[in-house]
Amino acid sequence: MKYILLLVFSLVLVPVRAQESNPRFEELLDSFLEYQDDLEIAIRYADSLSVIAEETGDPMLKVRTSYIRGFIYRNHDHFRDAVFNYQEALKTAREHHFREREAMILNGLAMTYNMLGRYPDALRHLFRSLEIREDINQDEESKALVLNNIGVVYFNLEDYTKAGQYFKESYRKDSTQLLKLVNLGLVSLENGKGGDAYQYFSSFRRQNPDTLNNLFQEYLNGIGLYHKKRENYDSAIHYFRRSYRIGEFREAHYQMAVSLYNMAASFYDRRDFRLAREYAGRSDSLARFLETKKLSAQNAHLLAKANSMLYEYEPAAIWFLKYDTMNQSMKDASTFGEVYEMEIEEVESNYQRILGQQEELLRKERQANFLYLGLAAVLGILGLIVYRNKRIKDQMLEKLTYTQNQLIEREKMAALGRMMAGVAHELNTPLGGLRGLVHQVKDRLQKIERSPGAGPGMQKFRDELKVSDESVDTQTSRERRKIRKGLLDQHPEITPEMAERLTDLGIKTLSPEQVAFLLRPEGKSSLEYSTELQMVRRSLSHMEQATGRMTTVVSAMQTYTRPGRSGDNMEEVDLRENIEMVIVLLQNHLKKGTRLKLDLPDQPVFVRGDKDRLAQVWTNLIMNSLHATGFSGEVEISLFRTDGEVHVTCMDNGPGIPEEIRGRIFDEFFTIRRGSSGTGLGLSIVKRILKEHHAQISFSSRPGETIFDVAFPETITVT
């Protein structure tokens, strides 16, 4: 596997204080740093730090505590728990404008996304972190950290040219970090420069005396890949095995999985297919536990090929199906990233063109200034001309800046509309095929389950182990660890791998007869067979649910992006159905933590209008409420009749709209979310659409409650 080292520094825990340092907090933090490699002890220290943060009410201590939790979980390969805690820290840091801390959290969150295979999210957070560091003038070493991590993500995206550029820029800013030599060696290998790679690895080995740290482990992986590319498979396997042993000593599960995969790939290239299958299977077990998409896909592909070369075609087909599903998912994400990148490049190109026009205008104005100054010296009216010229210049620059911003924002909105329509259209065909494939595989699985297997005893044991999918799907990582530990404590004779498989099946206890059966060869085979069937059943159930949800969303996107102009598509629109369609489209945003309440009548409520443009109204209002509450508050949508009018209200419990900007919220391009997702067009578009429908919009706001009220006159209402 192509793996590259991430920058993880304990020094990021050094405080950036909002208030005076708390001695108890700092003392516990020092103790935590000594035991951070032990997950249970580290979490206990984090709990104690949380208590101090809550007692003092210091927001900086709360940020640091959430960050420490994210750091712990990331360091121990619990990436989803790490994401949750990093996001909590980021939210508090932004609320209190801790910009230096925000840049640090963005870096940690980005590299956790990288481990989960969410590369576009990782790059967005890293570039934002770099932007903040530039803005607050941080030192070159901190910028080098982010540049290196950007190179890491591009390496995992297999864009080795960009990865090399960022690694070299990082090394130029700070050449003291030895891991950059390993990174440069790995990217040189991928670019076909084996000699350069060997020089980088040799330079690292001369400067690094410690043979048990993570840097040396990555060096071993790198030099192993060098020998593998030169077809020196025995030497490659030797280095990969040394890397695995260091990971085992340090309990670094992700690095262990990577080393196992590299050994499996080397065995496969050496045509030792049985060992390749064995090591890839061990790597896949760890990868599934860690939920790392790219490593899981690579293991699935290698297992499919190894089984095929061993003429075991049925397991090969299952692994190929798993690989195809995971690989297609990553390709879809990459395609979205490419579309997004092309749209941004188009906007940036227009921006540069306008910037060039602005510079040309300033050049001509400077020439005019010289002429005016000469005339003023002759006529004695220098002050008047300079004043007049400055006024003209300011007016022209203001007009040009306004036009420039307007062009950029409109192009962004047009590009977004084209992309949504294209994505909805392109997704329909593969979705239909995928749903058909799911049904075919389910039928095939039923035939496999009815097969005689290895005998009546094994069949009876498999029947006893059957559990429902729901009982396992709802387990957290902590609950799974507790079940595994309980099984091993109760039955020390079973292996950790058996405990892992029993946990996958939802088994919490075993009878003595079952334990005895498990320890026999046919028992081990039965357990493996039962686990694989259970995982396939659960995966098929998830696939069926996911394709159903995707079909609903695609249908809503097609309805929302269907072209039409105001006045051409006026019809009777059921406002209740119109609002529910928008809620479907926004599910991805609503599930982040928002509590949504819908107060809609049982009967349809009709108005005459354009359903697509009205859907845009509800989308903009609901998204404004979600941003106001930080995607974690309460939003209520109501539809009712009163005083001869039909009303739709959108209420949230956010901080409210400041008094000084209430008169400007409907102006074009006015926004308080500069630098994030705000365009300043949402409410101006809402007001224009409602005016076309002879409707009025009003609002009231105070801390904890903001209500937008849309009123349609009953004269155009049809019931």
Side-chain angles (χ1 to χ4, degrees):
M1 171 183 178
K2 301 177 179 71
Y3 172 73
I4 198 160
L5 183 63
L6 313 181
L7 281 171
V8 182
F9 292 115
S10 296
L11 59 86
V12 296
L13 300 174
V14 174
V16 180
R17 297 175 177 81
Q19 300 178 7
E20 187 175 348
S21 174
N22 185 289
R24 288 174 57 209
F25 190 95
E26 304 305 330
E27 182 179 351
L28 278 174
L29 182 58
D30 290 339
S31 300
F32 155 74
L33 291 174
E34 295 180 13
Y35 296 99
Q36 58 182 299
D37 290 335
D38 187 310
L39 177 61
E40 293 186 4
I41 296 178
I43 290 297
R44 285 203 295 270
Y45 273 110
D47 290 339
S48 300
L49 293 171
S50 297
V51 172
I52 297 175
E54 290 297 329
E55 288 176 351
T56 61
D58 185 347
M60 176 56 75
L61 294 186
K62 294 180 180 179
V63 170
R64 292 173 64 192
T65 301
S66 296
Y67 180 86
I68 288 168
R69 286 184 180 276
F71 176 84
I72 293 169
Y73 284 120
R74 174 180 158 199
N75 199 35
H76 290 273
D77 301 329
H78 296 284
F79 301 121
R80 297 195 182 279
D81 292 331
V83 167
F84 174 80
N85 285 280
Y86 278 137
Q87 288 176 338
E88 288 292 308
L90 185 61
K91 177 183 175 183
T92 307
R94 284 175 170 170
E95 286 176 354
H96 296 276
H97 307 290
F98 300 148
R99 302 200 69 205
E100 185 174 352
R101 182 65 60 168
E102 179 184 354
M104 183 181 70
I105 298 168
L106 284 168
N107 182 72
L109 179 58
M111 299 320 293
T112 308
Y113 282 142
N114 174 73
M115 300 299 289
L116 289 169
R118 294 171 57 178
Y119 302 125
D121 288 333
L123 286 175
R124 279 194 294 271
H125 285 74
L126 286 170
F127 280 119
R128 178 58 182 155
S129 176
L130 188 61
E131 178 184 339
I132 294 174
R133 292 169 196 264
E134 292 283 0
D135 191 43
I136 63 178
N137 294 319
Q138 275 199 342
D139 55 66
E140 295 296 293
E141 288 80 2
S142 67
K143 297 172 189 175
L145 160 70
V146 183
L147 289 168
N148 181 83
N149 288 346
I150 293 172
V152 168
V153 180
Y154 276 120
F155 187 96
N156 287 332
L157 284 169
E158 300 182 7
D159 189 340
Y160 303 120
T161 301
K162 282 190 176 179
Q165 292 171 354
Y166 281 102
F167 287 148
K168 288 178 181 177
E169 178 63 17
S170 175
Y171 190 70
R172 186 186 65 80
K173 287 181 177 291
D174 179 15
S175 60
T176 61
Q177 295 297 329
L178 295 181
L179 64 88
K180 295 171 186 176
L181 293 171
V182 178
N183 292 348
L184 287 167
L186 289 170
V187 81
S188 296
L189 274 179
E190 297 301 335
N191 285 323
K193 299 178 180 179
D196 291 347
Y198 191 80
Q199 290 297 325
Y200 284 124
F201 291 142
S202 298
S203 179
F204 167 83
R205 186 66 185 93
R206 288 194 300 270
Q207 299 179 55
N208 182 63
D210 190 349
T211 59
L212 286 179
N213 60 13
N214 57 347
L215 295 181
F216 190 75
Q217 186 177 3
E218 291 317 307
Y219 156 76
L220 291 173
N221 267 322
I223 202 69
L225 289 171
Y226 170 79
H227 284 289
K228 181 175 178 291
K229 283 185 175 290
R230 297 173 66 89
E231 300 183 1
N232 297 330
Y233 299 120
D234 291 340
S235 296
I237 292 168
H238 167 74
Y239 284 109
F240 294 144
R241 185 171 282 116
R242 287 181 63 190
S243 174
Y244 173 80
R245 288 170 180 167
I246 293 175
E248 192 174 31
F249 174 78
R250 297 177 54 246
E251 296 184 358
H253 299 102
Y254 184 81
Q255 289 85 343
M256 290 166 62
V258 170
S259 300
L260 287 169
Y261 171 80
N262 285 335
M263 281 191 276
S266 300
F267 282 125
Y268 183 88
D269 290 345
R270 202 176 70 177
R271 305 190 64 79
D272 193 339
F273 304 122
R274 292 192 181 279
L275 282 176
R277 181 174 63 179
E278 176 189 341
Y279 279 85
R282 291 169 61 187
S283 176
D284 184 63
S285 296
L286 285 172
R288 284 192 292 117
F289 172 74
L290 299 172
E291 301 181 23
T292 54
K293 294 181 181 178
K294 186 172 182 180
L295 182 55
S296 295
Q298 290 173 319
N299 277 308
H301 191 216
L302 187 55
L303 284 164
K305 293 193 300 180
N307 277 291
S308 178
M309 296 302 293
L310 292 168
Y311 306 106
E312 297 184 14
Y313 298 115
E314 188 166 341
I318 293 174
W319 283 111
F320 270 122
L321 179 62
K322 289 182 179 180
Y323 167 71
D324 186 62
T325 302
M326 290 185 283
N327 195 45
Q328 189 61 43
S329 172
M330 289 188 288
K331 284 184 178 179
D332 289 344
S334 298
T335 302
F336 278 112
E338 290 171 7
V339 172
Y340 176 78
E341 185 176 352
M342 286 190 293
E343 298 294 349
I344 293 301
E345 286 178 356
E346 180 182 353
V347 172
E348 290 179 351
S349 175
N350 286 320
Y351 174 80
Q352 293 298 328
R353 177 172 54 81
I354 293 173
L355 190 62
Q357 293 175 353
Q358 177 177 325
E359 291 177 351
E360 178 64 19
L361 177 62
L362 290 174
R363 186 184 65 80
K364 291 180 178 180
E365 286 181 348
R366 282 195 294 269
Q367 292 176 349
N369 282 341
F370 286 122
L371 177 61
Y372 287 140
L373 285 172
L375 292 173
V378 175
L379 300 173
I381 55 172
L382 175 63
L384 176 63
I385 291 178
V386 171
Y387 174 72
R388 178 176 177 273
N389 185 54
K390 184 178 183 303
R391 284 188 58 193
I392 294 173
K393 176 181 176 181
D394 291 344
Q395 291 171 358
M396 293 180 71
L397 283 175
E398 183 177 354
K399 184 177 180 180
L400 182 60
T401 301
Y402 175 81
T403 304
Q404 164 192 320
N405 292 334
Q406 191 176 49
L407 175 61
I408 290 175
E409 298 296 342
R410 286 177 179 170
E411 286 184 352
K412 281 183 180 179
M413 298 300 291
L416 179 61
R418 292 195 302 272
M419 185 171 69
M420 282 184 64
V423 167
H425 175 74
E426 291 297 329
L427 283 178
N428 254 337
T429 300
L431 262 179
L434 181 59
R435 297 187 74 178
L437 179 61
V438 169
H439 290 299
Q440 292 179 23
V441 176
K442 287 182 72 175
D443 292 341
R444 180 61 179 166
L445 182 61
Q446 289 176 356
K447 294 179 182 179
I448 295 173
E449 288 178 305
R450 290 195 295 268
S451 65
M458 185 181 298
Q459 182 63 46
K460 179 177 181 299
F461 187 70
R462 290 202 300 267
D463 292 341
E464 291 177 358
L465 289 179
K466 277 190 177 179
V467 295
S468 65
D469 292 341
E470 290 77 7
S471 65
V472 180
D473 288 347
T474 56
Q475 292 175 357
T476 64
S477 298
R478 181 174 295 179
E479 289 171 339
R480 287 178 60 82
R481 290 196 302 272
K482 184 177 179 181
I483 293 172
R484 286 197 303 271
K485 187 175 185 302
L487 286 167
L488 290 170
D489 290 344
Q490 294 173 23
H491 310 288
E493 58 270 45
I494 66 173
T495 66
E497 183 180 359
M498 289 180 179
E500 179 69 29
R501 290 187 177 275
L502 290 168
T503 304
D504 285 340
L505 291 170
I507 302 300
K508 299 180 180 179
T509 59
L510 291 170
S511 66
E513 294 80 8
Q514 289 175 328
V515 173
F517 184 77
L518 275 178
L519 296 177
R520 296 200 297 270
E522 61 270 26
K524 295 178 181 178
S525 177
S526 175
L527 178 59
E528 181 177 356
Y529 183 87
S530 301
T531 305
E532 294 305 320
L533 282 182
Q534 186 77 348
M535 297 303 291
V536 173
R537 274 197 301 271
R538 193 176 305 132
S539 298
L540 286 173
S541 175
H542 291 172
M543 289 168 65
E544 195 166 29
Q545 294 173 14
T547 53
R549 291 197 299 269
M550 289 170 66
T551 301
T552 302
V553 172
V554 169
S555 175
M557 287 176 66
Q558 287 179 316
T559 300
Y560 185 73
T561 58
R562 188 176 294 117
R565 294 178 299 173
S566 177
D568 294 343
N569 294 322
M570 289 295 183
E571 58 183 337
E572 290 185 4
V573 179
D574 181 1
L575 288 180
R576 184 187 62 174
E577 181 181 284
N578 197 241
I579 292 170
E580 288 175 342
M581 182 269 287
V582 170
I583 296 301
V584 171
L585 277 175
L586 297 179
Q587 276 303 311
N588 188 54
H589 297 286
L590 294 170
K591 68 184 181 182
K592 295 179 181 178
T594 300
R595 296 178 294 281
L596 176 68
K597 179 180 179 182
L598 292 178
D599 185 9
L600 307 179
D602 296 332
Q603 300 299 321
V605 177
F606 291 97
V607 298
R608 185 161 183 79
D610 184 330
K611 62 182 180 181
D612 297 331
R613 292 175 69 76
L614 287 176
Q616 189 172 1
V617 170
W618 317 133
T619 300
N620 290 354
L621 291 178
I622 294 172
M623 286 302 299
N624 280 352
S625 291
L626 293 177
H627 280 288
T629 60
F631 294 88
S632 60
E634 297 179 359
V635 177
E636 181 176 349
I637 311 297
S638 302
L639 171 62
F640 57 90
R641 286 189 176 90
T642 182
D643 298 330
E645 293 180 326
V646 174
H647 288 259
V648 178
T649 63
C650 179
M651 180 176 67
D652 65 68
N653 65 343
I657 303 173
E659 182 74 32
E660 60 270 16
I661 67 169
R662 293 182 183 180
R664 302 174 60 196
I665 64 172
F666 292 104
D667 294 347
E668 284 191 347
F669 304 118
F670 176 76
T671 179
I672 59 174
R673 298 201 304 271
R674 295 291 183 193
S676 57
S677 58
T679 64
L681 293 172
L683 288 178
S684 66
I685 291 173
V686 166
K687 189 172 183 179
R688 185 167 65 249
I689 293 173
L690 292 177
K691 185 177 180 181
E692 295 167 358
H693 288 73
H694 308 288
Q696 299 291 327
I697 183 169
S698 59
F699 72 92
S700 61
S701 183
R702 59 186 175 85
E705 182 182 88
T706 297
I707 303 175
F708 279 85
D709 185 356
V710 176
F712 296 89
E714 197 167 20
T715 53
I716 65 167
T717 305
V718 182
T719 59

